[in-house]
Amino acid sequence: MIGSILTGIVALIHIYIVVLEMFLWDKPQGMKAFGTTPAFAAKSKTLAANQGLYNGFLAAGLIWGIWLGEAGDPIKVFFLLCVAVAGVFGAVTAARKILFVQTFPAVVALIGVWLA
C-alpha cells in the first residue's frame, strides 16, 4: 500500500512535469521552473514537448503498475528505476536540482515497493 502511494506521488510529479514541458514551456510558470529565457523557450518548445511526452509515458507506466495492485510491483519497480536513472542523468547533464525533484522521490518509492 505504501509503495503504491509513494509511486502515485512520483506519477503526479511526472504529470506536472508533462504539463510544464508540453503546455507551459514558453509561459512564465514553465520558464521559471526550468530557469529559461523567452528566447530559449521559443527555440526549444518542440524539444520540450517531446521531452514532456516521454515523461508522460513514465507517468502512465507508474499508474499502470498502481492499477494492477500488488501484481504490478515489477512494473512499478521498472518505471521507478527508469525515473531514477533519468533523474541522475538529468542531474549530471542539466541541473543538480533534478536529483531532488525526480531521483530522490523515485528511490523512496522504490524502497516503499520493495519493503511492502
Side-chain angles (χ1 to χ4, degrees):
M1 176 75 154
I2 189 72
S4 288
I5 292 168
L6 294 170
T7 302
I9 292 169
V10 175
L12 289 173
I13 291 168
H14 277 75
I15 291 168
Y16 180 64
I17 293 170
V18 168
V19 171
L20 285 172
E21 291 177 339
M22 293 189 80
F23 306 108
L24 301 175
W25 183 256
D26 59 349
K27 309 291 186 279
Q29 187 177 0
M31 289 186 292
K32 181 180 178 189
F34 294 102
T36 60
T37 64
F40 178 82
K43 277 180 137 177
S44 59
K45 186 174 181 175
T46 303
L47 178 64
N50 185 47
Q51 216 169 265
L53 186 62
Y54 284 96
N55 277 298
F57 291 135
L58 290 173
L62 295 168
I63 292 166
W64 176 36
I66 294 166
W67 181 68
L68 291 173
E70 201 172 298
D73 283 357
I75 293 165
K76 291 176 214 162
V77 167
F78 172 78
F79 281 96
L80 288 167
L81 284 170
C82 289
V83 169
V85 169
V88 168
F89 184 79
V92 170
T93 61
R96 192 176 312 165
K97 76 177 183 177
I98 296 171
L99 202 58
F100 304 103
V101 173
Q102 189 170 329
T103 306
F104 180 74
V107 170
V108 170
L110 268 169
I111 292 167
V113 171
W114 283 330
L115 293 179

